[in-house]
Amino acid sequence: MQIKIEIDVKPEELRRFLGLPDVAGLQEDVLHFLREKLGAASESFDPASFVKDNLQTIRNSGTWKKFVAAAKARAPGLSPEPEEAAESAPKKRVRPRGTAAKSRSKAAKKQAAEAPAADETND
């Protein structure tokens, strides 16, 4: 057995029926107040300076760190943060001067020694 009841009622009627207070006037007052405050704040608001001033605070927050960790877990090819990149970057080898020239000359000598041997076999 199924019983289906459909009630068509407006929100205001339902609030009155349940005995809830009428907050429509209060809601309009709050919205008007917020619109005024946001309008006044938007005139002097500079998004670039806001981000610049709060970037370090955002990076230090636990929520941001969790977000970045989750993003890295989903995309393994994602480049790390700048500080992490500097720490994890491989160290560059520094050769003393003249070493590269010597190794190139050794390779050139080796090729020169092999080249005539190849010519002699073709005769």
Side-chain angles (χ1 to χ4, degrees):
M1 177 163 89
Q2 287 184 340
I3 299 175
K4 186 176 181 181
I5 300 173
E6 188 173 322
I7 301 173
D8 187 23
V9 65
K10 295 179 183 176
E12 299 86 29
E13 293 172 343
L14 183 61
R15 275 195 293 270
R16 252 182 296 165
F17 177 75
L18 294 174
L20 298 174
D22 185 16
V23 293
L26 178 63
Q27 183 180 7
E28 286 187 29
D29 289 345
V30 169
L31 287 174
H32 180 69
F33 174 77
L34 289 174
R35 282 188 184 123
E36 285 179 0
K37 287 290 185 182
L38 287 174
S42 68
E43 292 171 2
S44 63
F45 181 71
D46 180 27
S49 67
F50 175 79
V51 171
K52 190 176 182 181
D53 293 342
N54 294 300
L55 187 61
Q56 195 59 37
T57 304
I58 292 169
R59 280 189 167 177
N60 290 336
S61 72
T63 306
W64 175 256
K65 289 178 181 177
K66 287 178 186 176
F67 172 75
V68 170
K72 286 180 182 177
R74 289 188 187 131
L78 189 65
S79 64
E81 298 240 353
E83 331 55 75
E84 294 174 13
E87 293 171 4
S88 65
K91 303 293 184 211
K92 190 172 184 178
R93 288 183 154 178
V94 178
R95 292 185 185 178
R97 288 187 159 202
T99 307
K102 287 179 186 175
S103 65
R104 272 184 262 160
S105 65
K106 285 180 185 177
K109 287 178 186 177
K110 186 176 181 181
Q111 285 178 348
E114 292 173 358
D119 290 339
E120 291 173 4
T121 58
N122 291 338
D123 288 331

